[in-house]
Amino acid sequence: MPVVVPEKLIALQRRQDDIRNDHGKTSLSDALIATNGIISPKLAGKIRYLDSRPDEQLRGITMESSAISLYFSMMRRSAADEPPSQKEYLINLIDSPGHIDFSSEVSTASRLCDGAVILVDAVEGVCSQTVTVLRQTWIEHLKPLLVINKIDRLITELKMSPGEAHTHLCKLLERVNAVVGSFFQGERMEEDMKWRERIEEKLAAATAAKDQERAEGNTTETANNAADGPGSSAASTTGEYEEKDDEDIYFAPEKNNVIFSSAIDGWAFTVKQFAVLYEKKLSIKRAVLEKTLWGEFYLDPKTKRVLGQKHLKGRALKPMFVQLVLENIWAVYEATTGGGKGKGDPELLQKITKSLNITLPPHVLRSKDTRVVLTTLFAAWLPLSTALLVSVIESLPSPPVAQASRLPAMIESSPGASHVDPRVRDAMIGFKTDSEEPVVAYVSKMVAIPESELPENKRRAGGLSAEEAREMAQRKRAEITRAQVLAEAATAGVTVITDTLGSTRISNGSERQMGDIDLDSEQRVDPEHLIGFARLYSGTLIVGDSIYVLPPKFSPAAPHAHPEPKKATITALYLLMGRSLESLSSVPAGAVFGIAGLEGHILKSGTLCSQLAGSVNLAGISMGTQPIVRVALEPVVPSDLSKMIAGLRMLEQADPCAEYEVLESGEHVIVTAGELHLERCLKDLRERFARCEIQAGEPIVPYRETIVAAAEMAPPKEKDLPRGTVIGVTTSKQATLRLRVRPLPSAVTKFLGGNAATIKELYSERDEKRNGTASPRNRTVETEVVLSSAEFKLKLREAFAAEAKGDREIWANVIGKIVAFGPRRSGPNMLIDNTQDQLLLRDINSSGSTSLNPHDFSDKISYAFQLATSQGPLCNEPMQGVAIFLEDISLDIPSLEEDAARSGRLTGEIIKTVRESIRQGFLDWSPRLLLAMYSCEIQTSAEVLGRVYGVITRRRGRILSESLKEGTPFYSILSLLPVAESFGFSDEIRKRTSGAASPQLIFQGFEMLDEDPFWVPFTEEDLEDLGELADRENVAKRYMDSVRKRKGLFVSGKKLVENAEKQKTLKR
């Protein structure tokens, strides 16, 4: 293959209509990279060029997304009647991971691209990660291209016939389209709901205007027109809603957006390719063949006409896709790797090569490896790179076309969209590249690159300079001298070493001892530099430019709000070439590139803009997975603590999903998406970022605490009061409060947990009303729908009515009394003002008195509520599903001590009393722990099904479903597994099944462990069955005690010594 020089790629960056930005998979990428002469075509699919990390090569999976720019040329006609001419294209390819732990890499890569190449395994079909990738493609409005890969497994492993394979592929395509259709249906319902809300608002406004006119008695024609205006516009709007056509969103081979391939064997094809092959042979128009080669269409062997299913008249004909496409593929495998001994059929091979007009080299035909013949034949007949690159160019949009369709919705969903400068908006949507236009770029993540791999530090081609050669010679002489000294040390002793080291000198301007040179070489490290992974949307970026760096929470409504964005100077621009970088002087719009000079300005992602006022914030990406696994770290050598902290901060910037935090206890904690992600982060810390030995503690798994009304509960602590009621008195006896803790209905808890963004918005609106000013919303784009205040109250009322059947009077008027949600003002717990005079909800100065009243402490009570719900009484984990009714609060402050109370003494007492009262009321019910759960999907064969079940059951997992994948011998098992029991799960299940099963773990949420951690046997039956010591293990108590022990809390019932023996001295 000819080698494409970087200068050619740089020149193509200026031709934006001939650029395609998309991302795909590693083995498939190798075939594309081979077309540019970067790797040998024989190594494509084996070398995994874009997996540049050693652990990626070792495990055989991709962990980090990496980009490369590829050149491709093809003959195209500018018009139907003109001869074809050569057309050159630049394809920016981003290879992203397929493992669920690294879904954040897919999320960061998606915003940089205009299209996506989605791979689906022909055997395994649609799995959880396929749905995640399709959802990300839908959210980012990317044009997708489906590749059904590993079709060779249908032939070699499952031994399917062409007809069976056709049925299997049809069902697989239907499943993929069903996933896409579910996204369309969800979006359609959401738009319909918003449209109905707008109509109702307009009708309500029209009705209110008419009522106002009638009240004023104004019957003039102008007033009537004004009153009828909104109603008429609303009525006209009622008929304006149009259903969206979903025809273009589905995958169909006849639309040229489906590719059938085998990356390992190096072949791929589209229906369009076979339509060209059979056009002359069958004398059927190409357009007709493109539409009929896939689907229920048949070829009449006598008339050579295409028949539909209705015209078969009972004849058993094969579908055209089977007869003309699959049977030929199957014949090639039979001729090369089939036969009795797997050595193929030479006569059939000769017949195939003759009919295809392909000549195989003699050394290939003599090869004992039949796969060499197979791959060579397919490379000449159906090369993978041609099918994929031609489909990318024809199906995926160029940057100008893609930005015109994608960016309007992206800008509208950004924070402060109404304040974006129209000039910036037009430059991005209109793809303006002039240097005078506003520059807008999005940095999706920061990538750590060793200093030695930067282009400016690499050795120039053409040999060493005189100075470099002299320095290398000096080092070689020093190494030889050191080796001689060490050899003499065995016989001559230490004094010879000292004398020799002292006498050995190397002159280099100023003399230095050899020991110093060795010490320098040993201490010399290769520091890491952070390079931004970016996409330019408008303007031109030049090295040396100063540009504003906008953080993810920036809003153009308040551009100078703290922290005010600062300018950064672009020190270097790079062309991304997989494992290497090439320097650039400038970058035009539409390019995917690397950018230096942003260290200290961007944490994970951000937007670059040439102007501050009216700029746009594009940093609202929904991550595929949220980090859930926490691990405390400490250096093995305490003096390396500063190195570890610096390394953690760099890792947090370089990894889009990793988070670093310092707990109140002083522990340095890293938060990762899963076990494999944690392993990679620790490896990077030790070898690249911190460069010191780091010791990791036990994983810190999150829990939640809740209460239930169990059948067997201890009697209430206060017999005269209802369960959960606590009367709290402050230390000074100056304040007395009464509150009651109750469990929330499960439907309400679920509703609050799924609408955290709406609760935050309600808090913002309430703060605006109190302050009297409209503060800008400095927030990132939320993935969930934000409900209006009226709709939120309506759905919350429905949730209360759904399950609170026996306690309707308790929850009847609760919604108007809600004071706060917690913890963090958005959690699934409620503080409800149930006092007679609404002491917490009424206005501050309503009484007109200057003396202290209970409302003066409303914010202190809310703060105590937030503290109590963030740290529950079981093991200081957040509460969930708890309602706190404040029933009464009274103050008894002598007038002489009122000033002291105002100074803050009583404030602390009230916070402490409320917090302790909530904890006491919580423990009056039957407490429960909620475990973080993984959804575990496993595909395996029937032979190892029992072993898989054994591993899941032993780790306290629960099987949800088991189904046999149609047309395959594989079972798909869906189960729930506690995160606390998941560490080492993947390795164990692979060992037990000898690698036949591999799980995919996705965080699912929290599930209640229905066991009281304080339960002890007290009935006669329990005492008889279990004894006083309760021989059955209390799993909830084990989890609770492990968390308390880790946090340094008191663990009750812990025995320091069990089965102790009397100590004896040696003499006795």
Side-chain angles (χ1 to χ4, degrees):
M1 289 288 177
V3 178
V4 180
V5 295
E7 289 75 14
K8 183 77 173 176
L9 302 175
I10 295 170
L12 284 173
Q13 282 188 336
R14 304 287 172 184
R15 293 159 51 180
Q16 288 81 13
D17 290 330
D18 301 335
I19 295 177
R20 300 294 184 275
N21 299 319
D22 66 312
H23 65 113
K25 295 291 292 176
T26 312
S27 298
L28 204 70
S29 303
D30 275 3
L32 309 184
I33 294 169
T35 62
N36 279 226
I38 298 173
I39 62 173
S40 168
K42 295 179 181 178
L43 297 176
K46 302 172 185 175
I47 195 171
R48 300 174 62 87
Y49 181 80
L50 291 179
D51 285 351
S52 55
R53 296 169 56 96
D55 49 353
E56 288 179 327
Q57 292 287 346
L58 184 66
R59 290 179 177 270
I61 62 172
T62 305
M63 297 185 185
E64 288 183 351
S65 55
S66 52
I68 191 167
S69 296
L70 300 174
Y71 165 83
F72 182 68
S73 65
M74 60 183 291
M75 304 297 288
R76 298 200 72 174
R77 298 176 187 270
S78 56
D81 54 345
E82 292 187 8
S85 59
Q86 187 177 8
K87 187 87 171 173
E88 297 178 330
Y89 295 91
L90 173 67
I91 297 175
N92 293 317
L93 180 71
I94 301 177
D95 176 37
S96 53
H99 196 280
I100 198 70
D101 275 12
F102 308 108
S103 295
S104 56
E105 295 281 350
V106 181
S107 304
T108 55
S110 61
R111 181 146 291 193
L112 304 180
C113 300
D114 301 319
V117 179
I118 299 171
L119 266 73
V120 176
D121 193 313
V123 176
E124 295 182 1
V126 178
C127 58
S128 55
Q129 182 64 355
T130 311
V131 178
T132 303
V133 172
L134 285 169
R135 183 182 293 109
Q136 191 65 39
T137 305
W138 181 269
I139 291 171
E140 291 292 335
H141 303 287
L142 299 179
K143 186 74 179 294
L145 190 64
L146 181 67
V147 177
I148 301 178
N149 195 25
K150 300 184 183 180
I151 293 181
D152 58 289
R153 293 181 65 189
L154 303 180
I155 307 170
T156 58
E157 289 183 26
L158 304 184
K159 308 294 183 183
M160 287 185 177
S161 66
E164 292 171 341
H166 176 247
T167 306
H168 179 78
L169 293 173
C170 287
K171 291 180 179 178
L172 175 59
L173 197 59
E174 286 174 5
R175 293 191 194 103
V176 176
N177 283 330
V179 174
V180 178
S182 66
F183 299 151
F184 173 80
Q185 190 64 25
E187 190 175 89
R188 163 72 182 81
M189 292 174 66
E190 183 183 334
E191 288 179 356
D192 182 60
M193 183 183 68
K194 291 181 179 178
W195 178 78
R196 290 178 185 278
E197 284 181 2
R198 289 196 298 268
I199 295 302
E200 289 173 1
E201 287 176 2
K202 288 184 177 181
L203 290 174
T207 305
K210 285 182 179 179
D211 292 343
Q212 185 178 1
E213 292 296 336
R214 288 170 184 167
E216 293 176 356
N218 189 353
T219 56
T220 60
E221 185 178 355
T222 306
N224 288 333
N225 291 338
D228 293 339
S232 59
S233 63
S236 62
T237 309
T238 308
E240 286 177 3
Y241 187 81
E242 295 181 2
E243 289 282 351
K244 279 189 178 180
D245 186 11
D246 63 345
E247 186 180 353
D248 295 333
I249 68 172
Y250 297 114
F251 296 105
E254 61 268 21
K255 294 179 182 177
N256 204 35
N257 61 2
V258 178
I259 301 173
F260 304 91
S261 78
S262 169
I264 194 70
D265 292 337
W267 60 265
F269 67 88
T270 59
V271 166
K272 189 174 183 179
Q273 280 180 271
F274 275 92
V276 174
L277 290 174
Y278 285 110
E279 182 182 10
K280 292 181 180 179
K281 189 174 181 180
L282 300 175
S283 299
I284 301 175
K285 291 183 180 180
R286 186 188 305 180
V288 175
L289 282 174
E290 287 180 10
K291 294 179 180 178
T292 57
L293 268 177
W294 177 265
E296 298 297 328
F297 294 98
Y298 306 85
L299 183 66
D300 192 326
K302 295 181 180 179
T303 61
K304 299 294 182 183
R305 289 187 176 182
V306 179
L307 303 177
Q309 196 170 12
K310 297 179 181 178
H311 302 89
L312 285 180
K313 298 178 181 179
R315 288 183 291 178
L317 297 180
K318 298 176 183 177
M320 291 178 65
F321 190 75
V322 175
Q323 182 182 355
L324 303 180
V325 180
L326 293 185
E327 286 187 349
N328 291 325
I329 303 288
W330 261 244
V332 172
Y333 275 91
E334 179 65 26
T336 54
T337 61
K341 297 181 180 179
K343 294 185 178 180
D345 186 347
E347 293 181 3
L348 181 60
L349 177 64
Q350 186 178 2
K351 184 180 178 182
I352 290 173
T353 53
K354 187 176 180 180
S355 64
L356 294 175
N357 197 19
I358 294 173
T359 304
L360 296 178
H363 72 276
V364 172
L365 294 172
R366 290 194 300 268
S367 175
K368 294 182 180 180
D369 187 0
T370 55
R371 285 189 52 80
V372 174
V373 183
L374 174 72
T375 54
T376 307
L377 177 55
F378 272 125
W381 180 33
L382 299 173
L384 186 150
S385 56
T386 302
L388 187 58
L389 291 175
V390 169
S391 297
V392 165
I393 289 166
E394 292 183 349
S395 300
L396 302 187
S398 62
V401 176
Q403 288 188 197
S405 60
R406 285 182 66 206
L407 287 187
M410 195 186 298
I411 295 172
E412 285 302 319
S413 62
S414 65
S418 58
H419 295 83
V420 175
D421 189 349
R423 187 165 170 263
V424 173
R425 188 191 299 264
D426 294 343
M428 294 174 67
I429 298 174
F431 197 80
K432 298 180 180 178
T433 60
D434 295 340
S435 56
E436 296 82 13
E437 297 294 337
V439 175
V440 179
Y442 174 67
V443 181
S444 70
K445 69 170 186 173
M446 303 295 286
V447 184
I449 304 292
E451 190 176 86
S452 60
E453 294 185 12
L454 295 176
E456 53 265 28
N457 298 327
K458 285 188 175 180
R459 186 174 290 118
R460 297 181 301 276
L464 302 176
S465 65
E467 186 178 348
E468 290 171 337
R470 194 180 303 115
E471 185 178 353
M472 182 174 289
Q474 290 170 358
R475 294 187 179 282
K476 288 291 182 184
R477 285 198 298 271
E479 290 173 7
I480 293 169
T481 306
R482 184 179 179 84
Q484 291 173 350
V485 170
L486 294 175
E488 295 172 359
T491 55
V494 181
T495 54
V496 177
I497 301 176
T498 309
D499 296 340
T500 309
L501 289 176
S503 61
T504 305
R505 293 179 180 274
I506 299 173
S507 59
N508 184 17
S510 62
E511 292 186 345
R512 293 186 297 174
Q513 290 191 359
M514 188 269 300
D516 296 337
I517 291 178
D518 287 341
L519 189 64
D520 291 344
S521 62
E522 289 176 4
Q523 289 183 347
R524 185 177 290 114
V525 295
D526 194 5
E528 300 277 345
H529 291 272
L530 291 172
I531 305 298
F533 196 20
R535 159 78 183 264
L536 191 62
Y537 288 100
S538 66
T540 301
L541 202 57
I542 304 172
V543 175
D545 282 353
S546 290
I547 194 163
Y548 285 101
V549 181
L550 312 180
K553 293 188 177 181
F554 171 83
S555 173
H560 300 284
H562 182 78
E564 187 172 350
K566 295 181 180 178
K567 277 194 171 185
T569 302
I570 308 304
T571 57
L573 297 170
Y574 300 107
L575 178 70
L576 302 171
M577 293 298 293
R579 302 184 182 186
S580 61
L581 302 171
E582 297 291 338
S583 294
L584 299 172
S585 58
S586 64
V587 170
V592 177
F593 61 99
I595 179 170
L598 302 180
E599 288 189 60
H601 294 277
I602 288 182
L603 178 59
K604 290 184 180 294
S605 63
T607 309
L608 307 180
C609 195
S610 55
Q611 65 184 59
L612 185 58
S615 53
V616 63
N617 181 10
L618 300 174
I621 286 185
S622 59
M623 292 296 174
T625 52
Q626 295 300 324
I628 187 70
V629 179
R630 285 174 163 77
V631 173
L633 306 177
E634 63 177 4
V636 175
V637 181
S639 59
D640 289 336
L641 180 61
S642 58
K643 286 184 182 179
M644 188 190 78
I645 294 173
L648 282 168
R649 286 175 179 159
M650 180 165 277
L651 174 68
E652 187 181 22
Q653 284 186 282
D655 193 304
C657 195
E659 294 179 3
Y660 163 57
E661 56 187 39
V662 181
L663 302 183
E664 294 179 359
S665 59
E667 291 177 294
H668 298 273
V669 171
I670 183 174
V671 194
T672 61
E675 190 177 4
L676 183 60
H677 186 211
L678 171 64
E679 201 174 314
R680 190 197 77 181
C681 290
L682 291 176
K683 181 179 175 63
D684 283 348
L685 262 180
R686 293 182 181 120
E687 297 179 1
R688 297 175 60 190
F689 301 132
R691 297 180 187 273
C692 65
E693 284 301 315
I694 293 174
Q695 184 177 351
E698 290 294 321
I700 304 171
V701 179
Y703 294 88
R704 296 290 183 268
E705 302 179 17
T706 190
I707 50 176
V708 295
E712 296 180 358
M713 286 192 294
K717 294 177 183 177
E718 296 290 339
K719 295 181 180 180
D720 299 333
L721 298 174
R723 185 180 294 277
T725 304
V726 179
I727 298 176
V729 183
T730 59
T731 310
S732 62
K733 305 290 194 304
Q734 293 180 353
T736 304
L737 56 91
R738 171 174 167 154
L739 55 83
R740 187 180 183 189
V741 179
R742 293 185 64 91
L744 276 172
S746 57
V748 177
T749 305
K750 185 178 179 181
F751 173 75
L752 295 178
N755 289 277
T758 303
I759 297 173
K760 290 179 183 177
E761 194 72 13
L762 294 176
Y763 267 107
S764 300
E765 291 176 3
R766 191 179 72 177
D767 292 343
E768 287 177 10
K769 290 180 180 178
R770 287 182 177 178
N771 299 332
T773 57
S775 59
R777 309 281 199 277
N778 288 346
R779 57 180 176 88
T780 55
V781 178
E782 301 286 351
T783 56
E784 61 186 68
V785 180
V786 178
L787 306 176
S788 63
S789 177
E791 191 174 2
F792 176 78
K793 291 179 181 178
L794 177 63
K795 292 195 173 184
L796 183 58
R797 190 175 289 107
E798 291 174 357
F800 273 119
E803 290 197 18
K805 295 177 181 177
D807 301 323
R808 288 186 183 277
E809 68 281 355
I810 297 174
W811 308 105
N813 300 315
V814 158
I815 295 175
K817 301 176 182 179
I818 298 173
V819 178
F821 296 93
R824 297 185 177 181
R825 305 211 314 173
S826 61
N829 303 289
M830 289 183 183
L831 175 62
I832 299 163
D833 186 2
N834 209 28
T835 57
Q836 289 184 353
D837 299 329
Q838 301 282 302
L839 297 174
L840 301 185
L841 292 172
R842 69 181 185 182
D843 295 334
I844 295 176
N845 295 322
S846 59
S847 61
S849 173
T850 57
S851 61
L852 281 174
N853 59 69
H855 183 83
D856 294 331
F857 297 98
S858 60
D859 56 337
K860 314 302 184 296
I861 295 173
S862 297
Y863 178 66
F865 163 75
Q866 301 293 343
L867 288 178
T869 52
S870 63
Q871 293 186 337
L874 297 183
C875 49
N876 279 8
E877 291 290 318
M879 291 184 188
Q880 181 171 313
V882 179
I884 290 94
F885 290 82
L886 183 67
E887 296 182 345
D888 187 35
I889 179 171
S890 59
L891 300 178
D892 184 15
I893 307 174
S895 57
L896 297 175
E897 298 183 15
E898 190 166 328
D899 292 337
R902 287 182 184 276
S903 65
R905 175 181 53 77
L906 191 57
T907 296
E909 291 183 4
I910 286 180
I911 292 174
K912 179 183 176 183
T913 304
V914 172
R915 184 180 179 185
E916 289 302 319
S917 299
I918 292 174
R919 293 167 76 97
Q920 291 175 27
F922 183 97
L923 294 174
D924 209 11
W925 295 85
S926 183
R928 294 289 188 271
L929 276 179
L930 285 94
L931 308 183
M933 302 296 286
Y934 275 137
S935 170
C936 175
E937 184 179 353
I938 305 174
Q939 292 192 1
T940 186
S941 57
E943 291 81 10
V944 295
L945 207 57
R947 299 177 192 174
V948 172
Y949 275 34
V951 175
I952 293 174
T953 307
R954 190 163 52 253
R955 291 176 174 265
R956 302 188 58 79
R958 190 173 82 253
I959 306 296
L960 297 179
S961 66
E962 172 201 316
S963 58
L964 178 65
K965 280 190 167 287
E966 221 173 319
T968 71
F970 296 105
Y971 283 86
S972 179
I973 302 167
L974 190 64
S975 63
L976 284 178
L977 185 74
V979 176
E981 305 286 350
S982 68
F983 300 101
F985 173 73
S986 299
D987 290 338
E988 183 183 0
I989 209 163
R990 276 193 287 267
K991 288 176 183 175
R992 295 280 182 182
T993 61
S994 302
S998 184
Q1000 288 269 25
L1001 299 174
I1002 306 173
F1003 180 64
Q1004 190 72 14
F1006 291 89
E1007 186 178 86
M1008 186 172 66
L1009 177 62
D1010 197 10
E1011 192 171 1
D1012 191 339
F1014 299 116
W1015 180 86
V1016 290
F1018 61 91
T1019 63
E1020 291 184 3
E1021 293 180 2
D1022 291 339
L1023 288 170
E1024 186 178 345
D1025 292 342
L1026 304 172
E1028 294 182 2
L1029 298 177
D1031 297 335
R1032 186 186 68 185
E1033 183 192 18
N1034 190 328
V1035 180
K1037 180 171 173 51
R1038 172 161 62 85
Y1039 286 141
M1040 182 184 75
D1041 288 348
S1042 65
V1043 178
R1044 292 184 71 89
K1045 181 180 177 182
R1046 177 177 57 78
K1047 293 184 176 181
L1049 303 173
F1050 174 71
V1051 179
S1052 62
K1054 181 182 177 184
K1055 292 184 178 180
L1056 298 177
V1057 180
E1058 290 188 11
N1059 304 323
E1061 295 180 359
K1062 185 177 179 181
Q1063 206 170 16
K1064 296 181 180 179
T1065 61
L1066 292 175
K1067 292 181 180 180
R1068 295 181 183 178

